[in-house]
């Protein structure tokens, strides 16, 4: 399967791109590999072409184009865009893909995708870390050299005009990916759907961070082993990977978002909230949340909610039916007094009986015992959910107290410090009675609450409060659904009793009736 990567560069020295593409580099340090004479070593196999430029003078020609259009003068500007098309390693074995063929395919693709731009197209056959997969680098100057016809993927004004800069928008990337997919299918190469979001999304930056972290860890472990000790960890993990592992474990043991949220925080101190229809995760060593989009689709709301629902159908947002109780005509005074009213009730009872039977069939209750057990279980879950909500509210009240007294403690601490340093403490206390009393009250409460003296910072407390408030809101929603479900099951149970009462003689002994 061919995949596409994109890298933006603000480096004004375009010759660096030529050096990297032509010469061997150490993948860990990024430095050139040289022979014993200090000469740079060319790559073992590569294929190179230029688009709208001579490949060996790519750097100079890009600089001339920039000067002509007075672009790329600031260090903050993006000078070039680097796209990498990596082909499936199996393509070389099963589909007879060679470096020369990949270069020809990629060159044709570059002519279609980047008309009017100066570009280097270079194919390598070594792969990253010796993986052996054939891949092509396409490096373009960010400024268009020649005007072209406007393309359907262009969504920025004047994008087709010479002198305007390339924008790697989502629309453009989707167009590029679609062309790669079409090319691979046409050539009989392995390919997957690049337009579908990845289940596990690992960016180039995360990949390189993992490699760098692994190398440092191995160097540290060598020293630990040399001292006769055993390393605690042998595999480095990025923060994103730690999040993925924690999410996978906690979601496998959770039947609802509330359980998942609590378990993540209790076990890994990872906070998760829902915002704008997405889950956002906060790693304990970060100040900024990571969205599900950065981790992959299987760590997002849609996938995880389906996972929760498959484990516990009751966590589905239950939609209340409009079932009503069957009226007992023998006990209804108004029905006994009015034949017309009694007739309308009979019609209504028939409708409710029919609706009850439909409900029973749709929910798969085969016997009256199954129905009663479902009602009993629903009532039990409702009671448990209500108890849990009460506990959450108590915890929230407790956190609010912590926030109140912690804030009070720090807001009056400076005054109290001055009081301790004052020569005339009696006079100072008299002048600042309220502040000193507030400080002492907060100090005493915090001492009793934190016997070990380790107070939580206000920021952590507020994060816990936000997380807990979200759990409470979710719990209230679940309770509403459980109440509706329990009420419906209660109505169905009583209606079934009424139906069976009319069908089965009281003195006749029968086995458990089927519904």
């Amino acid at each position: 399967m061919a995949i596409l990567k994109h890298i933006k560069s603000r480096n004004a020295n375009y010759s660096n791109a030529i050096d990297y593409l032509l010469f061997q580099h150490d993948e860990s340090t990024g430095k050139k590999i040289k022979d014993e004479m200090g000469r740079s070593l060319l790559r073992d196999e590569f294929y190179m072409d230029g688009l709208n430029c001579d490949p060996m003078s790519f750097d100079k020609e890009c600089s001339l184009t920039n000067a002509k259009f007075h672009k790329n003068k600031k260090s903050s500007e993006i000078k070039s865009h680097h796209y990498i098309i990596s082909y499936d390693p199996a393509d070389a074995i099963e589909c007879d893909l060679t470096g020369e063929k990949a270069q020809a395919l990629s060159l044709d693709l570059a002519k279609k995708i980047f008309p009017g731009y100066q570009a280097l197209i270079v194919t390598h056959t070594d792969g990253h870390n010796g993986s052996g997969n054939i891949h092509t680098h396409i490096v373009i100057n960010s400024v268009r050299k020649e005007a072209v016809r406007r393309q359907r993927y262009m969504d920025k004004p004047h994008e087709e005009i010479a002198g305007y800069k390339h924008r790697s928008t989502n629309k453009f990337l989707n167009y590029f990916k679609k062309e790669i997919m079409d090319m691979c299918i046409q050539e009989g190469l392995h390919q997957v759907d690049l337009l579908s979001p990845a289940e596990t999304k690992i960016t180039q930056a995360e990949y390189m961070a993992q490699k760098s972290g692994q190398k440092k860890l191995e160097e540290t472990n060598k020293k630990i082993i040399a001292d006769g000790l055993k390393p605690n960890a042998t595999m480095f993990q990025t923060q994103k990977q730690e999040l993925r592992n924690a999410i996978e474990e906690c979601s496998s043991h959770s039947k609802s978002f509330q359980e998942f949220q609590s378990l993540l925080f209790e076990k890994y101190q990872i906070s998760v909230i829902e915002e704008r229809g997405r889950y956002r995760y906060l790693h304990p060593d970060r100040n900024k949340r990571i969205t599900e989009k950065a981790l992959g689709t299987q760590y997002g709301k849609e996938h995880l909610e389906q996972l929760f629902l498959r484990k516990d159908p009751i966590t589905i947002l239950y939609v209340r039916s409009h079932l009503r109780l069957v009226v007992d005509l023998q006990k209804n005074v108004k029905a006994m007094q009015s034949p017309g009213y009694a007739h309308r009730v009979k019609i209504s009872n028939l409708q409710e009986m029919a609706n009850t039977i439909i409900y029973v069939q749709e929910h798969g209750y085969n016997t009256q015992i199954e129905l009663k057990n479902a009602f009993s279980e629903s009532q039990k879950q409702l009671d448990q959910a209500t108890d849990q909500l009460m506990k959450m509210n108590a915890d929230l009240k407790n956190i609010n107290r912590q926030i109140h007294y912690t804030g009070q403690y720090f807001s009056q601490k400076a005054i109290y410090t001055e009081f301790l340093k004052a020569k005339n403490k009696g006079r100072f206390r008299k002048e600042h009675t309220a502040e000193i009393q507030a400080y002492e009250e907060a100090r005493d409460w915090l001492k009793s609450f934190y016997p070990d003296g380790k107070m939580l910072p206000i920021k952590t407390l507020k994060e816990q409060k936000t997380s807990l408030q979200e759990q409470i809101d979710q719990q209230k929603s679940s309770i509403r659904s459980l109440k509706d479900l329990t009420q419906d099951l209660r109505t169905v149970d009583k209606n079934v009793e009424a139906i069976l009462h009319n069908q089965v003689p009281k003195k006749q002994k029968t086995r458990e009736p089927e519904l």
Side-chain angles (χ1 to χ4, degrees):
M1 56 183 178
I3 59 173
L4 179 68
K5 293 181 181 177
H6 171 234
I7 303 167
K8 295 179 290 188
S9 174
R10 292 178 172 82
N11 188 349
N13 190 350
Y14 291 91
S15 60
N16 285 354
I18 300 175
D19 283 347
Y20 175 78
L21 296 173
L22 296 187
F23 296 99
Q24 296 181 32
H25 284 69
D26 185 295
E27 292 177 346
S28 300
T29 63
K31 295 180 179 179
K32 282 185 183 180
I33 298 174
K34 299 183 179 182
D35 62 13
E36 61 277 3
M37 302 294 292
R39 295 172 297 192
S40 299
L41 296 174
L42 282 170
R43 293 183 180 270
D44 294 332
E45 183 181 0
F46 66 90
Y47 302 87
M48 181 169 69
D49 287 286
L51 182 63
N52 298 316
C53 68
D54 184 308
M56 296 310 296
S57 60
F58 172 73
D59 51 349
K60 294 182 179 61
E61 293 188 45
C62 288
S63 297
L64 288 172
T65 299
N66 293 342
K68 177 181 177 181
F69 294 106
H70 308 287
K71 295 292 177 71
N72 288 336
K73 293 181 176 181
K74 298 178 182 177
S75 60
S76 60
E77 290 186 273
I78 295 170
K79 312 300 187 303
S80 63
H81 293 265
H82 186 168
Y83 294 91
I84 305 171
I85 304 172
S86 296
Y87 295 90
D88 192 311
D91 286 338
I93 302 168
E94 300 173 9
C95 308
D96 299 323
L97 181 69
T98 62
E100 187 175 6
K101 183 178 179 181
Q103 175 69 5
L105 292 173
S106 301
L107 179 58
D108 288 341
L109 192 61
K111 290 176 180 177
K112 184 176 183 180
I113 301 292
F114 301 108
Y117 285 106
Q118 297 156 302
L120 272 179
I121 298 93
V122 181
T123 296
H124 297 154
T125 57
D126 51 357
H128 189 69
N129 278 332
S131 61
N133 71 302
I134 298 171
H135 60 281
T136 300
H137 300 262
I138 301 176
V139 180
I140 71 165
N141 184 17
S142 62
V143 178
R144 189 185 294 278
K145 180 183 179 182
E146 299 170 356
V148 297
R149 291 180 62 183
R150 189 167 180 83
Q151 304 294 317
R152 64 179 182 274
Y153 64 81
M154 295 178 178
D155 53 5
K156 302 294 181 184
H158 316 300
E159 224 178 312
E160 74 279 13
I161 299 174
Y164 282 81
K165 301 191 70 171
H166 173 69
R167 298 285 186 263
S168 189
T169 62
N170 288 334
K171 190 174 182 179
F172 169 78
L173 286 172
N174 287 339
Y175 165 71
F176 199 169
K177 290 174 183 177
K178 179 69 167 55
E179 291 297 327
I180 291 173
M181 290 163 59
D182 291 345
M183 177 192 72
C184 289
I185 292 169
Q186 183 178 339
E187 297 297 326
L189 303 177
H190 295 84
Q191 189 53 44
V192 294
D193 185 1
L194 298 179
L195 300 178
S196 298
E199 289 188 356
T200 301
K201 182 179 179 180
I202 299 178
T203 62
Q204 180 74 7
E206 184 183 357
Y207 175 78
M208 298 307 295
Q210 196 281 328
K211 290 293 180 185
S212 174
Q214 183 64 35
K215 184 177 180 181
K216 291 178 182 177
L217 179 63
E218 289 172 357
E219 291 173 354
T220 303
N221 284 348
K222 284 180 183 179
K223 297 176 183 177
I224 294 173
I225 293 169
D227 293 336
L229 302 174
K230 186 178 179 181
N232 291 328
T234 57
M235 182 65 68
F236 175 81
Q237 291 186 343
T238 62
Q239 290 179 347
K240 287 183 180 179
Q241 191 55 47
E242 288 176 356
L243 284 176
R244 293 188 190 100
N245 294 342
I247 292 167
E248 287 173 7
E249 181 179 345
C250 293
S251 63
S252 66
H253 295 92
S254 302
K255 294 181 180 179
S256 67
F257 176 73
Q258 296 93 323
E259 285 186 25
F260 173 62
Q261 195 176 43
S262 298
L263 195 58
L264 261 184
F265 193 80
E266 290 170 8
K267 198 164 185 179
Y268 297 101
Q269 289 73 57
I270 294 171
S271 165
V272 55
I273 62 172
E274 181 185 342
E275 187 175 79
R276 297 178 183 175
R278 288 181 178 172
Y279 288 170
R280 298 171 64 87
Y281 301 91
L282 182 64
H283 189 281
D285 296 331
R286 287 175 61 95
N287 295 322
K288 189 176 179 181
R289 291 187 181 273
I290 294 175
T291 66
E292 60 181 50
K293 188 178 179 182
L295 301 175
T297 56
Q298 72 178 53
Y299 308 97
K301 178 184 176 183
E302 184 176 350
H303 173 80
L304 292 178
E305 282 190 345
Q306 290 300 317
L307 191 65
F308 301 150
L309 298 181
R310 284 197 292 272
K311 294 176 188 170
D312 187 3
I314 289 183
T315 59
I316 297 174
L317 180 61
Y318 182 78
V319 179
R320 177 79 187 275
S321 72
H322 297 287
L323 284 168
R324 290 183 295 177
L325 285 171
V326 171
V327 177
D328 189 344
L329 290 171
Q330 295 178 356
K331 296 181 180 179
N332 189 286
V333 177
K334 189 174 180 180
M336 289 187 286
Q337 294 174 345
S338 171
Y341 179 78
H343 178 73
R344 289 196 299 273
V345 170
K346 286 179 183 179
I347 298 298
S348 175
N349 278 352
L350 288 173
Q351 290 174 340
E352 292 307 322
M353 287 178 180
N355 291 335
T356 298
I357 292 170
I358 290 170
Y359 185 98
V360 166
Q361 290 174 339
E362 285 181 346
H363 291 79
Y365 300 122
N366 296 314
T367 68
Q368 192 175 9
I369 289 178
E370 285 185 18
L371 177 60
K372 288 185 177 295
N373 287 342
F375 170 58
S376 177
E377 179 62 26
S378 177
Q379 184 64 59
K380 180 181 175 183
Q381 290 194 13
L382 177 58
D383 293 340
Q384 289 175 344
T386 304
D387 291 342
Q388 190 176 1
L389 179 61
M390 291 176 64
K391 183 180 180 302
M392 287 179 177
N393 283 325
D395 290 342
L396 181 62
K397 188 175 181 181
N398 202 9
I399 289 177
N400 283 332
R401 282 202 198 98
Q402 289 173 259
I403 292 172
H404 170 73
Y405 284 114
T406 303
Q408 184 173 309
Y409 173 82
F410 283 112
S411 65
Q412 306 301 340
K413 189 174 182 180
I415 290 290
Y416 194 78
T417 302
E418 288 183 38
F419 165 65
L420 294 176
K421 294 177 181 178
K423 293 181 180 179
N424 190 337
K425 288 185 171 56
R427 181 180 175 183
F428 193 94
R429 177 182 281 276
K430 188 174 180 181
E431 292 174 349
H432 302 279
T433 302
E435 294 95 326
I436 293 173
Q437 285 180 348
Y439 174 85
E440 291 174 340
E441 178 191 19
R443 178 198 61 192
D444 295 342
W445 188 91
L446 291 168
K447 277 184 178 179
S448 64
F449 189 82
Y450 297 107
D452 58 359
K454 296 180 180 179
M455 293 168 52
L456 290 176
I458 285 282
K459 182 180 178 181
T460 301
L461 290 171
K462 288 184 176 179
E463 286 175 353
Q464 289 182 3
K465 178 180 177 179
T466 300
S467 176
L468 186 56
Q469 187 61 62
E470 289 166 355
Q471 292 179 52
I472 288 172
D473 293 341
Q474 292 282 346
Q475 190 73 359
K476 287 179 179 178
S477 177
S478 294
I479 287 174
R480 284 194 295 270
S481 292
L482 282 169
K483 280 182 178 179
D484 289 343
L485 175 61
T486 304
Q487 182 59 44
D488 275 354
L489 288 172
R490 181 184 288 110
T491 301
V492 170
D493 182 44
K494 290 185 178 180
N495 284 354
V496 167
E497 287 278 5
I499 293 169
L500 294 177
H501 177 76
N502 291 332
Q503 289 183 346
V504 183
K506 291 183 179 179
K507 294 183 179 179
Q508 182 180 348
K509 292 183 179 180
T510 63
R511 62 185 176 84
E512 171 65 24
E514 293 186 357
L515 301 179

